[in-house]
């Protein structure tokens, strides 16, 4: 196994010819876009299908399970796969395979441990929420393992396999959702969603020829502790903020408000799905840019973030022109409440898109301390803006509070990236000694 570079100390091999490097980059990004398109379609289809099948209140319960999954997913990413993409992108195959076996084993272990906790907590919650959380607990190992395969393939620069894995999930979703609709409960939809992910997770084992090693999870956590635990706190603060905002909004305004917010987010689905899984493509690519052309990292991150922000604004603007008749066709009863939040959520997604460019740069630099500070600020602002806005002006106030928080959080990300780039430049200048 090749030695792992320490924080801020990645080796910088000789850059390949510019033309071939650009073609390789375009190829990897193309597969990344294709994979994110598949992920977006599946997330959007699940959300729309469940919203139309269950109505706004039951859809709010499903959304609480979805948000909880987001928290657990980010625990898994922080401990298992974020260190993988930072330290094992573009390494020799033997090093990659050994790291992937331990990383996916860690993800599987996280799913088993937190899934067991859900099985205990679910019955105590009761009502509609309890069975949904029990089913989520059963499905978490498969959900997390499927996500870990995607990270693993992108770390190897093989986005085609990640795309195929997501396509398998999409195909498996179709019969699973049809069966769930016949049952008609929130729990049945959670089971259908998780079972189809488990099919894709099993297919990932066949694609890679690697068996996840849960027994080596402790060793992986020990080796990656300098990055893993910081990324864990960072990721959990991100998804935990979403969960706190969802639970707080439900307590202040009502569970229906959670469904309204989720409905509006579904309309922005293509960009939200890209943002959630952005590190699959951008962190490995930013790490490659840093190794090959360090002076281009800032421009790469700016183009990345600016492009996403502009695309989100264009998409949100088009949604504002959507006729009510078409909105009713897409979201059913959820459309009326969700349509009032489109403008605010558009600005939220644009701000988040701009910030992800800086976040990718900080991850590539291994600047975990600065990345953590940025995320903690953004998460605190998100919760404060979302709940403060809900207390003042209900669901619409919460949406605008989150929009203001996201834009301010993006500014903090970029300030930290500028400082980190300056520090990296200074560290790379060889010391001149006078005789």
């Amino acid at each position: 196994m090749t030695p792992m570079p320490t924080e801020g100390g990645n080796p910088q091999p000789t850059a390949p010819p510019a033309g071939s490097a650009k073609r390789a980059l375009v190829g990897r990004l193309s597969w990344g876009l294709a994979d994110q398109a598949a992920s977006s379609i599946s997330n959007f289809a699940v959300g729309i299908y469940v919203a139309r099948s269950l109505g706004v209140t039951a859809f709010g319960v499903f959304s609480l399970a979805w948000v909880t999954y987001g928290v657990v997913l980010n625990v898994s990413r922080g401990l298992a796969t974020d260190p993988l993409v930072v330290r094992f992108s573009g390494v020799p195959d033997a090093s990659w395979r050994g790291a992937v076996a331990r990383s996916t084993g860690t993800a599987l272990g996280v799913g088993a441990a937190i899934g067991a906790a859900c099985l205990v907590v679910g019955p105590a919650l009761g009502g509609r929420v309890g069975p949904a959380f029990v089913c989520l607990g059963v499905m978490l190992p498969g959900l997390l393992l499927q996500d870990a395969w995607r990270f693993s393939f992108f770390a190897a620069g093989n986005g085609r396999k990640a795309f195929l894995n997501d396509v398998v999930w999409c195909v498996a979703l179709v019969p699973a959702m049809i069966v769930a609709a016949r049952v008609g409960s929130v729990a049945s939809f959670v089971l259908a969603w998780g079972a189809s992910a488990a099919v894709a997770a099993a297919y990932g084992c066949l694609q890679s020829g690697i068996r996840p090693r849960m027994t080596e999870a402790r060793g992986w956590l020990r080796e990656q502790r300098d990055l893993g635990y910081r990324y864990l706190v960072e990721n959990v603060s991100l998804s935990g903020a979403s969960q706190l905002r969802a639970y707080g909004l439900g307590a202040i305004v009502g569970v229906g408000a959670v469904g309204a917010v989720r409905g509006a987010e579904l309309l922005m689905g293509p960009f939200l799905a890209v943002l959630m899984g952005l590190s699959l493509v951008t962190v490995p690519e930013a790490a490659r840019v840093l190794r090959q052309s360090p002076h281009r990292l800032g421009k790469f991150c700016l183009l990345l973030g600016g492009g996403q922000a502009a695309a989100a604004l264009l998409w949100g603007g088009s949604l504002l022109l959507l006729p009510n008749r078409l909105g009713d066709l897409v979201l059913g009863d959820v459309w009326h409440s969700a349509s009032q939040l489109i403008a605010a959520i558009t600005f939220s997604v644009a701000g988040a898109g701009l910030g992800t460019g800086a976040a990718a740069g900080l991850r590539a630099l291994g600047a975990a301390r600065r990345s953590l500070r940025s995320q903690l600020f953004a998460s605190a602002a998100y919760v404060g803006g979302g709940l403060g806005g809900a207390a003042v002006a209900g669901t619409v106030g919460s949406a605008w509070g989150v929009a203001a928080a996201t834009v301010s959080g993006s500014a903090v990300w970029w300030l930290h990236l500028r400082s980190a780039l300056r520090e990296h430049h200074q560290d790379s200048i060889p010391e001149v000694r006078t005789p």
Side-chain angles (χ1 to χ4, degrees), residues 169-256:
W169 190 359
C170 290
V171 172
L173 266 172
V174 176
M177 284 289 153
I178 293 174
V179 172
R182 292 181 179 176
V183 177
S185 66
V186 177
S188 65
F189 279 103
V190 174
L191 283 175
W193 167 53
S196 55
V199 172
Y203 179 60
C205 296
L206 295 176
Q207 286 178 291
S208 63
I210 298 173
R211 185 180 66 181
R213 299 175 186 168
M214 288 182 60
T215 56
E216 297 189 19
R218 182 174 297 180
W220 174 261
L221 294 175
R222 184 172 58 252
E223 292 171 8
Q224 310 299 329
R225 62 182 178 273
D226 59 324
L227 294 183
Y229 291 119
R230 287 175 187 158
Y231 289 158
L232 169 64
V233 175
E234 181 181 327
N235 290 356
V236 170
S237 70
L238 170 64
S239 53
S242 298
Q243 191 172 26
L244 287 174
R245 187 254 184 138
Y247 290 160
L249 184 61
I252 296 171
V253 184
V255 176

Side-chain angles (χ1 to χ4, degrees), residues 263-351:
E265 290 174 347
L266 281 173
L267 296 173
M268 295 295 296
F271 298 99
L272 287 172
V274 168
L275 291 179
M276 288 178 64
L278 193 63
S279 58
L280 290 170
V281 181
T282 57
V283 175
E285 291 308 322
R288 289 185 177 94
V289 171
L290 179 63
R291 291 187 177 101
Q292 297 170 6
S293 304
H295 61 284
R296 295 181 180 175
L297 181 60
K299 181 180 179 181
F300 173 84
C301 294
L302 184 60
L303 289 174
L304 173 68
Q308 286 183 100
L313 290 173
L314 288 173
W315 180 263
S318 67
L319 289 177
L320 291 172
L321 303 177
L322 194 69
N324 286 330
R325 182 174 62 256
L326 186 56
D328 287 332
L329 181 64
V330 173
L331 288 180
D333 294 339
V334 180
W335 165 252
H336 176 71
S337 52
S339 62
Q340 303 173 40
L341 311 178
I342 291 175
I345 287 183
T346 296
F347 281 102
S348 295
V349 175

Side-chain angles (χ1 to χ4, degrees), residues 58-115:
F59 183 58
V61 175
F62 181 85
S63 298
L64 290 177
W66 185 288
V67 169
T68 303
Y69 158 70
V71 175
V72 180
L73 180 65
N74 279 297
V75 171
S76 175
R77 288 179 175 179
L79 293 176
T81 50
D82 283 345
L84 177 75
V85 297
V86 169
R87 286 180 163 157
F88 293 92
S89 292
V91 301
D93 185 67
S95 296
W96 175 81
R97 293 181 68 85
V100 167
R102 289 175 290 147
S103 175
T104 53
T106 302
L108 197 57
V110 170
I114 301 182

Side-chain angles (χ1 to χ4, degrees), residues 339-419:
S339 62
Q340 303 173 40
L341 311 178
I342 291 175
I345 287 183
T346 296
F347 281 102
S348 295
V349 175
L354 185 62
T356 54
L362 288 174
R363 287 284 175 98
L365 288 164
R369 291 185 182 89
R370 289 192 175 276
S371 181
L372 177 58
R373 292 171 194 161
S374 301
Q375 188 57 65
L376 289 176
F377 174 86
S379 297
Y382 182 93
V383 174
L387 298 187
V392 172
T395 309
V396 175
S398 178
W400 280 110
V402 165
T406 305
V407 172
S408 62
S410 178
V412 171
W413 277 105
W414 278 101
L415 288 172
H416 274 286
L417 177 61
R418 186 179 66 174
S419 299

